[in-house]
């Protein structure tokens, strides 16, 4: 996750000084970081005061709670982020200026409601990015592709934070000179569940660190933080983009980590095997040819063959490769394809898989049933037409996707092969949405409308707001849509998603000034 570092100027100091009569307290501008969303609250960070501001809607009122972190004038809050379970907020404090000495960089973890004492971790560097593990156990802080504003920094330094306790490990990656770009947790598929990678009968919690033409693997459960660095071919321009872990099973006994390159026609395959002495693991490297290019991939086990399925975005085809022999075949889709995902289907009372492929700018979704694919080489894909083209696609659940296309939204129901267009006066951003049961909640920055769609009846309802949307949020705790509006004092509208109307909504203003104007 690349974190927002740009501060948004919200209030000129002259107005604050006039309001409270204490100009020295409010030198400069009143600046807040963009809000993050937890289960219960919207959370702003006030860097000038080293405060985290929690705004909690309840009924027809909101509660504001300010929590101090950092070390007064000597530190400033660099960024904030919600944890994946949205039960906590993370905020990093760094020295307020390069002239500050003996001031430590610290990560603070606060409860979603702002209550209780924050947990503080000494992380030793002003990191600019954070990767959160899907099992909710850890945060890995790193510099990422944007580097740092520091005069000199270690580009491969990381901090591994235990989100369930108070521990932190500060580590430098072992590698071949590549600069760390991103961090992934391959194998962790189900949110909130641990997914150890079993290698030679021993469980490992593996993180993958993607750098220039190399990948570093680390066992985060190993007290020694054992690392395995794998070069993937700087001479052929292999640039790791993302990873995919296939656990070992009867078809292929060892776990395999696949690495997609940002360019080229090969996928890296790292077969993970135990070290001879049983103390760790290593990787056996191979490069799999997958057509002219590969833009996405997934693994799929048929009854007898362990396949790697890749999208050849140059030819618009799915390429099936037997990872044991590297032999395979391709299925032409007949239209553009760049992205791929699998969904569950009922195939005559048997649970099976279906591949769905699409491309930004394309006009069709392609579906291909995978049951018995190894014995059905002539199988043809089906297509769902998107008349005005695909700008953006969001997977809502196993059976439905939401597509943004200009001034239209399309709800696609795969079981019925139904495409329902929803027309609007202005474009909607499908990423500005939330799915709650069969209710689709919509709101797009720059618009004045909040909409809900009953996905059973596909009946939309919309309500007009008094002001333009700055950002759209859904809080599952109170089950409320919260729309922020650009205003220096804090301005939001709270909407009941089950009954979105002006009469049931509440508007609040000035909450960001609570606890500020009365400071001495």
């Amino acid at each position: 996750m690349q974190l927002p570092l740009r501060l948004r100027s919200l209030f000129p100091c002259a107005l604050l000084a006039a309001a409270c009569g204490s100009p020295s307290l409010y030198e400069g501008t009143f600046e807040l970081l963009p809000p993050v969303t937890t289960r219960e609250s919207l959370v702003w960070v006030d860097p000038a005061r080293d405060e985290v501001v929690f705004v909690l809607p309840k009924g027809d009122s909101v509660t504001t709670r300010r929590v101090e972190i950092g070390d007064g004038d000597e530190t400033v809050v660099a960024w904030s982020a919600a944890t994946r379970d949205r039960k906590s907020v993370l905020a990093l404090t760094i020295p307020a200026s390069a002239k500050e000495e003996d001031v430590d960089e610290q990560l603070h973890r606060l409860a979603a409601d702002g209550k209780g004492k924050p947990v503080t971790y000494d992380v030793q560097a002003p990191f600019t990015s954070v990767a959160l593990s899907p099992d909710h156990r850890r945060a890995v802080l790193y510099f990422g592709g944007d580097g740092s504003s520091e005069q000199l920094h270690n580009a491969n330094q990381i901090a591994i934070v235990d989100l369930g306790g108070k521990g932190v490990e500060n580590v430098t990656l072992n590698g071949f000179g590549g600069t760390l770009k991103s961090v992934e947790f391959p194998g962790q598929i189900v949110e909130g569940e641990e997914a150890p990678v079993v290698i030679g009968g021993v469980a490992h919690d593996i993180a993958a660190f993607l750098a220039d033409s190399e990948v570093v693997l680390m066992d985060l459960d190993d007290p020694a933080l054992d690392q395995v660095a794998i070069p993937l071919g700087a001479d052929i321009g292999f640039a790791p983009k993302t990873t995919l872990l296939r656990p070992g099973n009867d078809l292929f006994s060892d776990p395999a980590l696949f690495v997609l390159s940002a360019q080229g026609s090969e996928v890296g395959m790292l077969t993970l095997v135990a070290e001879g002495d049983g103390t760790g693991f290593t990787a056996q490297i191979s490069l799999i040819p997958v057509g002219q290019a590969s833009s996405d991939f997934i693994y799929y086990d048929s009854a007898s063959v362990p396949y790697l399925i890749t999208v050849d975005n140059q030819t618009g085809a799915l390429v099936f490769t037997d990872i044991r022999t590297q032999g395979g075949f391709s299925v032409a889709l007949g239209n553009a394809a760049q992205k791929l995902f699998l969904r569950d289907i009922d195939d005559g009372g048997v649970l099976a898989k279906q591949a769905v492929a699409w491309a930004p700018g394309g006009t069709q979704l392609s579906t291909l049933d995978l049951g018995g694919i190894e014995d059905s080489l002539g199988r043809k894909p089906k297509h769902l037409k998107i008349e005005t083209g695909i700008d953006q696609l969001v997977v809502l659940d196993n059976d439905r996707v939401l597509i943004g296309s200009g001034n239209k939204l399309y709800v696609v129901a795969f079981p019925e092969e139904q495409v329902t267009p929803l027309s609007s006066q202005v474009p909607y951003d499908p990423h500005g949405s939330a799915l709650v049961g069969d209710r689709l909640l919509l709101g797009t920055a720059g618009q004045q409308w909040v909409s809900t769609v009953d996905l059973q009846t596909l009946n939309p309802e919309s309500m007009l707001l008094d002001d333009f949307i700055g950002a759209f949020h859904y809080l599952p705790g109170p089950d409320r849509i919260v729309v922020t509006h650009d205003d220096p004092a804090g301005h939001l509208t709270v909407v009941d998603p089950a009954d979105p109307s002006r009469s049931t909504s509440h508007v609040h203003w000035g909450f960001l000034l609570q606890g500020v104007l009365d400071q001495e």
Side-chain angles (χ1 to χ4, degrees):
M1 178 189 300
Q2 195 68 32
L3 296 150
L5 298 179
R6 180 178 62 85
L7 301 182
R8 181 164 55 93
S9 179
L10 291 183
F11 213 79
C13 63
L15 292 182
L16 282 172
C20 65
S22 180
S24 61
L25 180 63
Y26 302 109
E27 292 178 355
T29 58
F30 184 42
E31 299 174 324
L32 301 186
L33 296 178
V36 299
T37 311
T38 73
R39 291 186 55 83
E40 307 290 339
S41 60
L42 289 187
V43 184
W44 281 261
V45 166
D46 186 344
R49 293 162 190 80
D50 279 352
E51 290 182 336
V52 183
V53 186
F54 295 82
V55 178
L56 299 97
K58 185 177 182 180
D60 60 357
S61 65
V62 296
T63 299
T64 301
R65 183 172 292 125
R66 285 180 168 263
V67 180
E68 292 185 5
I69 59 175
D71 192 12
D73 293 339
E74 294 183 345
T75 60
V76 64
V77 183
W79 51 258
S80 63
T83 55
R84 291 180 69 118
D85 59 9
R86 296 170 66 179
K87 294 180 180 179
S88 302
V89 175
L90 307 176
L92 182 73
T93 54
I94 63 175
S97 79
K99 297 180 180 180
E100 297 288 351
E101 297 181 344
D102 301 321
V103 177
D104 295 327
E105 294 86 359
Q106 294 182 319
L107 183 72
H108 308 267
R109 176 166 57 86
L110 304 94
D113 60 4
K115 294 182 178 179
K117 185 178 180 180
V119 178
T120 300
Y121 309 86
D122 293 324
V123 295
Q124 297 186 358
F127 297 106
T128 60
S129 301
V130 61
L132 300 168
S133 64
D135 65 4
H136 304 166
R137 296 174 63 200
R138 294 184 173 92
V140 177
L141 277 61
Y142 64 107
F143 284 108
D146 291 342
S148 169
S149 60
E150 294 289 291
Q151 175 66 22
L152 188 65
H153 77 282
N154 178 353
N156 287 346
Q157 182 178 357
I158 62 171
I160 304 169
V161 176
D162 177 7
L163 294 178
K166 299 182 179 180
V168 59
E169 297 284 348
N170 293 283
V171 184
T172 292
L173 296 176
N174 299 329
F176 300 93
T179 299
L180 177 62
K181 302 297 184 184
S182 62
V183 181
E184 297 183 354
F185 303 89
Q188 295 189 18
I189 304 299
V190 180
E191 196 72 23
E193 292 187 8
E194 295 184 29
V197 181
V198 179
I199 305 173
V202 178
H204 302 268
D205 184 17
I206 292 181
F209 300 86
L210 280 60
D212 303 314
S213 68
E214 64 185 84
V215 172
V216 178
L217 304 180
M218 181 185 294
D219 183 357
L220 299 182
D221 278 341
D222 180 5
L225 295 175
D226 185 32
Q227 301 182 47
V228 178
I230 305 108
L232 288 168
D235 55 332
I236 62 173
F238 196 103
K241 179 181 177 182
T242 190
T243 62
L244 170 70
L245 183 87
R246 180 196 181 278
N249 62 10
D250 291 341
L251 292 178
F252 193 84
S253 60
D254 295 313
L257 183 72
F258 300 101
V259 185
L260 187 69
S261 177
Q263 55 193 16
S265 59
E266 295 175 309
V267 168
M269 178 176 169
L270 311 179
T271 304
L272 306 181
V273 296
E275 291 275 20
D277 58 6
T279 59
F281 68 94
T282 188
Q284 299 172 350
I285 310 169
S286 59
L287 294 176
I288 301 176
V290 289
Q292 294 186 22
S294 178
S295 57
D296 204 358
F297 57 3
I298 198 79
Y299 73 85
Y300 169 72
D301 288 343
S302 72
S304 59
V305 181
Y307 285 115
L308 176 69
I309 308 175
T310 55
V311 181
D312 187 335
N313 59 315
Q314 298 297 313
T315 62
L318 295 183
V319 179
F320 291 74
T321 303
D322 183 338
I323 64 174
R324 302 167 303 184
T325 65
Q326 296 193 10
F329 60 91
S330 63
V331 176
L333 297 175
N335 59 272
Q338 292 183 20
K339 305 288 187 178
L340 173 69
F341 64 91
L342 299 185
R343 54 178 298 270
D344 295 328
I345 61 172
D346 183 348
D347 186 5
V350 177
L351 184 66
K353 293 291 185 180
Q354 182 183 72
V356 181
W358 61 283
T363 58
Q364 295 188 97
L365 298 176
S366 299
T367 63
L368 182 68
D369 294 350
L370 299 182
I373 190 70
E374 69 273 31
D375 298 320
S376 306
L377 301 186
R379 184 173 300 174
K380 301 295 184 182
K382 296 180 180 179
H383 300 99
L384 295 171
K385 181 74 172 178
I386 308 299
E387 289 290 345
T388 56
I390 303 172
D391 293 338
Q392 300 178 76
L393 182 147
V394 175
V395 177
L396 298 176
D397 54 26
N398 181 73
D399 292 335
R400 296 171 293 205
V401 298
L402 179 67
I403 292 174
S405 179
N407 284 15
K408 286 188 176 181
L409 288 173
Y410 292 89
V411 178
V412 179
F414 290 108
E416 297 82 15
E417 297 184 351
Q418 178 179 339
V419 179
T420 302
L422 302 173
S423 298
S424 171
Q425 300 299 316
V426 291
Y428 269 96
D429 178 6
H431 292 284
S433 64
L435 182 66
V436 182
D438 283 317
R439 288 178 294 159
L440 178 62
L441 316 177
L442 298 163
T444 298
Q447 294 188 19
Q448 286 185 266
W449 295 91
V450 167
S451 301
T452 63
V453 182
D454 183 332
L455 294 180
Q456 291 294 325
T457 64
L458 293 173
N459 178 53
E461 295 184 5
S462 299
M463 63 166 286
L464 179 64
L465 303 171
D466 290 334
D467 295 281
F468 290 99
I469 297 174
F472 175 90
H473 309 266
Y474 172 71
L475 307 186
D479 185 27
R480 287 295 181 267
I481 297 170
V482 180
V483 173
T484 59
H485 311 284
D486 291 334
D487 192 295
H491 181 193
L492 58 79
T493 303
V494 181
V495 180
D496 181 356
D499 183 18
S501 66
R502 292 176 63 86
S503 61
T504 60
S505 299
H506 303 280
V507 178
H508 303 276
W509 180 88
F511 49 86
L512 292 178
L513 297 182
Q514 293 181 23
V516 173
L517 296 179
D518 57 354
Q519 291 185 18
E520 297 293 339

